[in-house]
Short mmCIF file of all heavy atoms in Angstrom, two decimals:
data_model
loop_
_atom_site.label_atom_id
_atom_site.label_comp_id
_atom_site.label_asym_id
_atom_site.label_seq_id
_atom_site.Cartn_x
_atom_site.Cartn_y
_atom_site.Cartn_z
N ALA A 27 95.86 100.85 90.83
CA ALA A 27 97.15 101.20 90.25
C ALA A 27 97.23 100.90 88.72
O ALA A 27 97.79 101.56 87.97
CB ALA A 27 98.25 100.45 90.97
N LEU A 28 96.62 99.81 88.33
CA LEU A 28 96.64 99.37 86.90
C LEU A 28 95.83 100.37 86.11
O LEU A 28 96.21 100.75 85.04
CB LEU A 28 96.04 98.02 86.75
CG LEU A 28 96.97 96.80 87.17
CD1 LEU A 28 96.11 95.53 87.31
CD2 LEU A 28 98.11 96.67 86.22
N VAL A 29 94.64 100.90 86.61
CA VAL A 29 94.00 101.88 85.99
C VAL A 29 94.73 103.18 85.81
O VAL A 29 94.90 103.75 84.74
CB VAL A 29 92.62 102.18 86.68
CG1 VAL A 29 91.99 103.43 86.06
CG2 VAL A 29 91.68 100.99 86.60
N GLY A 30 95.40 103.59 86.87
CA GLY A 30 96.28 104.78 86.81
C GLY A 30 97.47 104.55 85.86
O GLY A 30 97.74 105.57 85.04
N ALA A 31 98.05 103.43 85.90
CA ALA A 31 99.17 103.17 84.94
C ALA A 31 98.64 103.17 83.49
O ALA A 31 99.35 103.61 82.58
CB ALA A 31 99.78 101.78 85.33
N GLY A 32 97.48 102.48 83.32
CA GLY A 32 97.00 102.47 81.94
C GLY A 32 96.71 103.81 81.32
O GLY A 32 97.05 104.19 80.20
N ILE A 33 96.11 104.71 82.21
CA ILE A 33 95.85 106.07 81.70
C ILE A 33 97.07 106.84 81.50
O ILE A 33 97.19 107.55 80.45
CB ILE A 33 94.95 106.81 82.77
CG1 ILE A 33 93.53 106.20 82.90
CG2 ILE A 33 94.83 108.35 82.46
CD1 ILE A 33 92.68 106.70 84.01
N ALA A 34 98.09 106.72 82.31
CA ALA A 34 99.36 107.34 82.11
C ALA A 34 100.14 106.80 80.96
O ALA A 34 100.73 107.59 80.23
CB ALA A 34 100.25 107.20 83.42
N GLY A 35 99.98 105.55 80.61
CA GLY A 35 100.55 104.96 79.48
C GLY A 35 99.94 105.48 78.18
O GLY A 35 100.65 105.72 77.21
N LEU A 36 98.60 105.67 78.15
CA LEU A 36 97.90 106.14 76.99
C LEU A 36 98.36 107.69 76.80
O LEU A 36 98.57 108.16 75.75
CB LEU A 36 96.47 105.99 77.13
CG LEU A 36 95.96 104.65 77.07
CD1 LEU A 36 94.36 104.62 77.29
CD2 LEU A 36 96.29 104.06 75.71
N GLY A 37 98.55 108.44 78.01
CA GLY A 37 98.94 109.80 77.95
C GLY A 37 100.42 109.84 77.38
O GLY A 37 100.74 110.83 76.57
N SER A 38 101.22 108.86 77.72
CA SER A 38 102.64 108.81 77.06
C SER A 38 102.50 108.68 75.67
O SER A 38 103.21 109.27 74.88
CB SER A 38 103.37 107.64 77.75
OG SER A 38 103.49 107.74 79.14
N ALA A 39 101.62 107.75 75.09
CA ALA A 39 101.50 107.50 73.72
C ALA A 39 101.08 108.76 72.92
O ALA A 39 101.37 108.87 71.77
CB ALA A 39 100.60 106.45 73.42
N LEU A 40 100.33 109.61 73.64
CA LEU A 40 99.78 110.89 72.97
C LEU A 40 100.56 112.18 73.35
O LEU A 40 100.14 113.20 72.85
CB LEU A 40 98.33 111.07 73.38
CG LEU A 40 97.38 109.90 73.00
CD1 LEU A 40 96.02 110.15 73.73
CD2 LEU A 40 97.20 109.75 71.53
N ALA A 41 101.71 112.03 74.05
CA ALA A 41 102.40 113.25 74.53
C ALA A 41 102.83 114.04 73.29
O ALA A 41 103.47 113.54 72.37
CB ALA A 41 103.60 112.76 75.43
N PRO A 42 102.56 115.34 73.36
CA PRO A 42 102.91 116.29 72.24
C PRO A 42 104.34 116.72 72.32
O PRO A 42 104.92 117.26 71.41
CB PRO A 42 101.97 117.39 72.39
CG PRO A 42 101.72 117.50 73.86
CD PRO A 42 101.67 116.07 74.40
N ASP A 43 105.04 116.64 73.47
CA ASP A 43 106.38 117.18 73.66
C ASP A 43 107.12 116.29 74.71
O ASP A 43 106.54 115.51 75.48
CB ASP A 43 106.37 118.64 74.03
CG ASP A 43 105.53 118.92 75.27
OD1 ASP A 43 105.68 118.35 76.30
OD2 ASP A 43 104.52 119.81 75.09
N LEU A 44 108.37 116.56 74.89
CA LEU A 44 109.19 115.75 75.77
C LEU A 44 108.79 115.96 77.28
O LEU A 44 108.70 115.02 78.00
CB LEU A 44 110.67 116.11 75.58
CG LEU A 44 111.65 115.19 76.46
CD1 LEU A 44 111.51 113.80 76.15
CD2 LEU A 44 113.09 115.80 76.23
N ILE A 45 108.49 117.28 77.62
CA ILE A 45 108.14 117.44 78.98
C ILE A 45 106.91 116.69 79.35
O ILE A 45 106.85 116.09 80.47
CB ILE A 45 107.97 118.97 79.27
CG1 ILE A 45 109.29 119.74 79.11
CG2 ILE A 45 107.35 119.23 80.61
CD1 ILE A 45 109.18 121.19 79.27
N THR A 46 105.90 116.82 78.52
CA THR A 46 104.69 115.95 78.77
C THR A 46 104.96 114.49 78.92
O THR A 46 104.42 113.78 79.81
CB THR A 46 103.63 116.23 77.69
OG1 THR A 46 103.38 117.59 77.58
CG2 THR A 46 102.36 115.53 78.06
N LEU A 47 105.80 114.01 78.04
CA LEU A 47 106.15 112.64 78.00
C LEU A 47 106.86 112.20 79.35
O LEU A 47 106.59 111.15 79.88
CB LEU A 47 107.02 112.21 76.78
CG LEU A 47 107.48 110.81 76.73
CD1 LEU A 47 106.28 109.93 76.65
CD2 LEU A 47 108.31 110.59 75.46
N VAL A 48 107.83 113.03 79.75
CA VAL A 48 108.56 112.79 81.01
C VAL A 48 107.47 112.62 82.22
O VAL A 48 107.56 111.72 82.95
CB VAL A 48 109.58 113.77 81.27
CG1 VAL A 48 110.17 113.64 82.69
CG2 VAL A 48 110.71 113.69 80.26
N VAL A 49 106.60 113.60 82.22
CA VAL A 49 105.62 113.64 83.32
C VAL A 49 104.80 112.36 83.23
O VAL A 49 104.56 111.76 84.30
CB VAL A 49 104.74 114.91 83.27
CG1 VAL A 49 103.62 114.81 84.17
CG2 VAL A 49 105.56 116.17 83.48
N MET A 50 104.23 111.93 82.10
CA MET A 50 103.56 110.84 81.93
C MET A 50 104.28 109.58 82.33
O MET A 50 103.65 108.64 83.01
CB MET A 50 102.98 110.69 80.48
CG MET A 50 101.86 111.70 80.10
SD MET A 50 100.32 111.54 81.06
CE MET A 50 100.47 112.76 82.32
N ARG A 51 105.56 109.49 81.91
CA ARG A 51 106.29 108.32 82.35
C ARG A 51 106.60 108.18 83.87
O ARG A 51 106.58 107.16 84.43
CB ARG A 51 107.65 108.31 81.61
CG ARG A 51 107.45 108.16 79.99
CD ARG A 51 106.51 107.09 79.65
NE ARG A 51 106.89 105.72 80.03
CZ ARG A 51 106.10 104.71 80.08
NH1 ARG A 51 104.78 104.79 79.83
NH2 ARG A 51 106.59 103.48 80.45
N VAL A 52 106.79 109.42 84.47
CA VAL A 52 106.90 109.39 85.90
C VAL A 52 105.65 108.89 86.54
O VAL A 52 105.70 108.05 87.52
CB VAL A 52 107.26 110.79 86.43
CG1 VAL A 52 107.11 110.95 87.97
CG2 VAL A 52 108.73 111.21 85.93
N VAL A 53 104.43 109.35 86.11
CA VAL A 53 103.24 108.90 86.66
C VAL A 53 103.06 107.39 86.45
O VAL A 53 102.70 106.62 87.35
CB VAL A 53 102.04 109.64 86.13
CG1 VAL A 53 100.73 109.16 86.63
CG2 VAL A 53 102.14 111.18 86.52
N ALA A 54 103.40 106.91 85.18
CA ALA A 54 103.27 105.51 84.89
C ALA A 54 104.18 104.70 85.82
O ALA A 54 103.77 103.62 86.33
CB ALA A 54 103.55 105.26 83.41
N GLY A 55 105.36 105.17 86.04
CA GLY A 55 106.29 104.41 86.86
C GLY A 55 105.85 104.29 88.24
O GLY A 55 105.96 103.28 88.89
N ALA A 56 105.31 105.39 88.83
CA ALA A 56 104.77 105.42 90.09
C ALA A 56 103.59 104.36 90.33
O ALA A 56 103.57 103.60 91.27
CB ALA A 56 104.23 106.75 90.50
N PHE A 57 102.73 104.28 89.34
CA PHE A 57 101.64 103.33 89.46
C PHE A 57 102.01 101.92 89.12
O PHE A 57 101.60 101.02 89.86
CB PHE A 57 100.46 103.81 88.45
CG PHE A 57 99.61 104.79 89.04
CD1 PHE A 57 99.51 106.03 88.42
CD2 PHE A 57 98.79 104.60 90.12
CE1 PHE A 57 98.71 107.12 88.85
CE2 PHE A 57 97.89 105.66 90.59
CZ PHE A 57 97.94 106.85 89.98
N PHE A 58 102.79 101.71 88.12
CA PHE A 58 103.28 100.38 87.83
C PHE A 58 104.17 99.86 89.02
O PHE A 58 104.25 98.57 89.15
CB PHE A 58 104.08 100.32 86.61
CG PHE A 58 103.20 99.99 85.32
CD1 PHE A 58 103.22 100.85 84.22
CD2 PHE A 58 102.48 98.85 85.18
CE1 PHE A 58 102.44 100.58 83.13
CE2 PHE A 58 101.73 98.55 84.15
CZ PHE A 58 101.72 99.47 83.01
N GLY A 59 104.73 100.70 89.66
CA GLY A 59 105.58 100.30 90.81
C GLY A 59 104.82 99.52 91.97
O GLY A 59 105.35 98.90 92.77
N ALA A 60 103.45 99.74 91.88
CA ALA A 60 102.65 99.14 92.98
C ALA A 60 102.49 97.61 92.58
O ALA A 60 102.04 96.85 93.55
CB ALA A 60 101.24 99.75 93.05
N ILE A 61 102.56 97.25 91.38
CA ILE A 61 102.03 95.94 91.02
C ILE A 61 102.93 94.78 91.47
O ILE A 61 102.33 93.84 92.05
CB ILE A 61 101.93 95.88 89.41
CG1 ILE A 61 101.09 97.04 88.97
CG2 ILE A 61 101.35 94.55 89.02
CD1 ILE A 61 99.71 97.05 89.54
N VAL A 62 104.19 94.74 91.18
CA VAL A 62 105.00 93.56 91.47
C VAL A 62 105.04 93.37 93.08
O VAL A 62 104.81 92.21 93.50
CB VAL A 62 106.41 93.70 90.93
CG1 VAL A 62 107.32 92.58 91.43
CG2 VAL A 62 106.35 93.55 89.46
N PRO A 63 105.40 94.36 93.85
CA PRO A 63 105.45 94.01 95.26
C PRO A 63 104.11 93.60 95.90
O PRO A 63 103.99 92.82 96.78
CB PRO A 63 105.92 95.36 95.92
CG PRO A 63 105.61 96.38 94.92
CD PRO A 63 105.77 95.74 93.62
N THR A 64 102.98 94.19 95.33
CA THR A 64 101.66 93.82 95.81
C THR A 64 101.29 92.43 95.34
O THR A 64 100.68 91.71 96.13
CB THR A 64 100.60 94.85 95.38
OG1 THR A 64 101.03 96.16 95.69
CG2 THR A 64 99.26 94.59 96.09
N SER A 65 101.76 92.10 94.17
CA SER A 65 101.51 90.69 93.71
C SER A 65 102.30 89.65 94.60
O SER A 65 101.78 88.63 94.91
CB SER A 65 101.94 90.55 92.26
OG SER A 65 101.24 91.35 91.36
N LEU A 66 103.46 90.08 94.95
CA LEU A 66 104.30 89.13 95.83
C LEU A 66 103.63 89.07 97.16
O LEU A 66 103.59 87.92 97.80
CB LEU A 66 105.67 89.75 95.99
CG LEU A 66 106.53 89.86 94.70
CD1 LEU A 66 107.82 90.57 94.99
CD2 LEU A 66 106.89 88.40 94.18
N THR A 67 103.16 90.13 97.65
CA THR A 67 102.43 90.14 98.94
C THR A 67 101.14 89.32 98.94
O THR A 67 100.79 88.54 99.83
CB THR A 67 102.04 91.62 99.42
OG1 THR A 67 103.29 92.29 99.36
CG2 THR A 67 101.49 91.63 100.82
N TYR A 68 100.52 89.44 97.84
CA TYR A 68 99.25 88.52 97.59
C TYR A 68 99.57 87.07 97.62
O TYR A 68 98.94 86.31 98.27
CB TYR A 68 98.60 88.86 96.21
CG TYR A 68 97.32 88.11 96.04
CD1 TYR A 68 96.10 88.63 96.31
CD2 TYR A 68 97.35 86.81 95.48
CE1 TYR A 68 94.95 87.98 96.10
CE2 TYR A 68 96.28 86.06 95.24
CZ TYR A 68 94.91 86.69 95.60
OH TYR A 68 93.84 85.94 95.35
N VAL A 69 100.67 86.69 97.07
CA VAL A 69 101.20 85.32 97.16
C VAL A 69 101.46 84.97 98.70
O VAL A 69 101.13 83.84 99.09
CB VAL A 69 102.35 85.03 96.26
CG1 VAL A 69 103.01 83.67 96.48
CG2 VAL A 69 101.95 85.16 94.76
N GLY A 70 102.17 85.86 99.25
CA GLY A 70 102.45 85.61 100.72
C GLY A 70 101.21 85.45 101.52
O GLY A 70 101.15 84.74 102.53
#
């Protein structure tokens, strides 16, 4: 998930237009969404 989020984040930084940026941010949100709950589960 971190690799996917990192690639999507770099894509966001390079986005040439708003539509591309929205798509990249959606992908980044989907991947970053895995981190906190999985970290909490790891602690559990």
Side-chain angles (χ1 to χ4, degrees):
L28 285 166
V29 170
I33 293 173
L36 293 177
S38 300
L40 298 173
D43 51 55
L44 182 62
I45 293 177
T46 303
L47 180 57
V48 170
V49 172
M50 288 294 98
R51 295 316 293 162
V52 167
V53 175
F57 279 115
F58 268 124
I61 305 306
V62 171
T64 309
S65 298
L66 297 173
T67 305
Y68 182 94
V69 170

